[in-house]
């Protein structure tokens, strides 16, 4: 009987070719957040105080903003705590680590079936022609027989509707609060008046840039929270003064033209 294969791997985040974040360093930061003390965090993380100090110094030297700061007062007269940048670093690493583990599990499950493994690797590397990939969470699912309307709240704080088949909802195992990607093709967008209350799927933002070519114009919108949207429309569809940088515009797309994906 053959021994089943398994895949494992360590995860490092590097900056400028230097080791920045690892599972052990993140565990140290988590213990600092929990205890407020570098010495206690080092002990709970299985590190010597010097090793913990050196690791913290290395992380802070590579980070754009300090990950920790000294705190004063308290029973012990002070300690160490995470900054907002430190908390974000922990969250970032744990998110990537979760996806890293998921991919390793998928590869392990398909290790013995080469054709299936090769197909899986192709899917993991797949790219789409959709110019816009917007992230968000499912707010509600409205079953309408063969079709289901999916209401999402995008990370930029704006709602978006998608209409997909009910079979697709089941195949993607969508539920309320599921993290999803909404894929929108740039030529499928149109622009509408910002004060139009009857518009379905308004995506409003500030013009970042515009580029003309022939009878078409490409417009980049800032939807907020570092989320951008690209649209390619006929020039006569938008008055000239409305696509200048800094202007406010609202784009819209039919729910049936919004594709949904999951990671």
């Amino acid at each position: 009987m053959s021994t089943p294969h398994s895949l494992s791997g360590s995860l490092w985040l590097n900056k400028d070719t230097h080791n920045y974040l690892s599972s052990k360093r993140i565990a140290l930061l988590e213990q600092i957040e929990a205890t407020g003390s570098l010495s206690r965090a080092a002990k709970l993380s299985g590190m010597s105080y010097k090793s913990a100090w050196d690791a913290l110094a290395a992380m802070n030297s590579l980070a754009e903003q300090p990950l920790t700061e000294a705190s004063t007062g308290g029973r012990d007269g002070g300690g160490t705590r995470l900054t907002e940048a430190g908390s974000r670093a922990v969250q970032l690493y744990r998110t990537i680590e979760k996806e890293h583990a998921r991919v390793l599990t998928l590869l392990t499950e398909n290790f013995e079936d080469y054709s299936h493994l090769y197909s899986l690797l192709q899917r993991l590397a797949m790219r789409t022609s959709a110019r816009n990939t917007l992230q968000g969470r499912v707010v509600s699912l409205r079953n309408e027989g063969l079709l289901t309307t999916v209401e999402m709240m995008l990370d930029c704080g704006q709602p978006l509707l998608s209409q997909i088949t009910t079979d697709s909802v089941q195949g993607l195992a969508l539920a309320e609060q599921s993290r999803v990607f909404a894929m929108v093709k740039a030529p499928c967008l149109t622009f509408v008046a910002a004060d139009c209350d009857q518009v379905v799927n308004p995506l409003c933002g500030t013009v970042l840039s515009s580029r003309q070519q022939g009878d078409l114009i490409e417009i980049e919108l800032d939807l907020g929270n570092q989320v951008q949207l690209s649209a390619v429309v006929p020039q006569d569809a938008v008055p000239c003064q409305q696509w200048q940088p800094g202007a406010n515009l609202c784009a819209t797309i039919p729910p049936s033209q919004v594709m949904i994906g999951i990671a």
Side-chain angles (χ1 to χ4, degrees):
M1 183 176 179
S2 61
T3 302
H5 292 90
S6 64
L7 297 175
S8 62
S10 58
L11 177 64
W12 274 93
L13 299 187
N14 299 326
K15 294 191 74 172
D16 300 326
T17 71
H18 297 289
N19 293 336
Y20 175 41
L21 299 177
S22 68
S23 181
K24 194 165 187 176
R25 288 183 174 182
I26 289 298
L28 176 65
L29 292 179
E30 289 174 331
Q31 290 298 340
I32 288 174
E33 185 171 33
T35 65
S37 164
L38 178 57
S39 60
R40 287 200 295 265
K43 185 176 181 179
L44 291 170
S45 302
M47 303 172 68
S48 68
Y49 183 81
K50 183 180 185 306
S51 295
W53 177 273
D54 290 343
L56 202 56
M59 286 186 282
N60 280 327
S61 68
L62 290 169
E64 294 179 1
Q65 297 177 317
L67 304 185
T68 59
E69 62 184 4
S71 59
T72 58
R75 185 180 63 185
D76 299 326
T80 305
R81 64 185 179 190
L82 292 193
T83 62
E84 184 177 344
S87 296
R88 287 199 305 268
V90 170
Q91 184 179 21
L92 170 67
Y93 183 90
R94 290 306 187 198
T95 299
I96 297 174
E97 183 184 52
K98 182 179 178 181
E99 290 304 300
H100 178 249
R102 183 181 67 85
V103 170
L104 287 178
T105 299
L106 284 173
L107 294 176
T108 299
E109 291 173 350
N110 294 276
F111 194 91
E112 302 296 341
D113 187 342
Y114 177 78
S115 61
H116 195 186
L117 177 62
Y118 182 71
S119 176
L120 175 62
L121 290 171
Q122 286 184 311
R123 291 206 310 273
L124 290 173
M126 182 183 69
R127 293 177 292 177
T128 74
S129 63
R131 181 71 177 275
N132 303 291
T133 302
L134 309 173
Q135 298 186 49
R137 289 191 182 276
V138 174
V139 174
S140 67
L141 298 163
R142 188 167 67 247
N143 188 304
E144 299 161 346
L146 292 176
L147 298 175
T148 292
T149 297
V150 182
E151 181 183 0
M152 296 163 279
M153 181 59 68
L154 301 178
D155 289 350
C156 61
Q158 301 193 46
L160 184 68
L161 298 177
S162 173
Q163 190 178 56
I164 61 177
T165 65
T166 301
D167 284 348
S168 293
V169 171
Q170 296 169 352
L172 295 172
L174 295 183
E176 291 185 9
Q177 297 305 310
S178 294
R179 288 290 298 177
V180 292
F181 298 91
M183 291 168 281
V184 175
K185 296 176 65 176
C188 292
L189 290 158
T190 56
F191 287 98
V192 296
D195 57 354
C196 185
D197 296 331
Q198 305 302 316
V199 174
V200 177
N201 275 349
L203 294 170
C204 301
T206 304
V207 177
L208 290 174
S209 63
S210 59
R211 180 168 63 96
Q212 297 175 256
Q213 186 170 332
D215 295 330
L216 298 175
I217 182 169
E218 179 184 66
I219 299 175
E220 295 274 349
L221 283 183
D222 177 10
L223 300 183
N225 199 25
Q226 299 183 330
V227 178
Q228 297 181 11
L229 184 74
S230 297
V232 176
V233 298
Q235 282 192 44
D236 57 9
V238 186
C240 178
Q241 66 273 17
Q242 291 187 5
W243 46 263
Q244 300 302 318
N248 295 321
L249 269 180
C250 281
T252 183
I253 184 170
S256 60
Q257 296 295 316
V258 179
M259 299 175 286
I260 291 182
I262 60 172

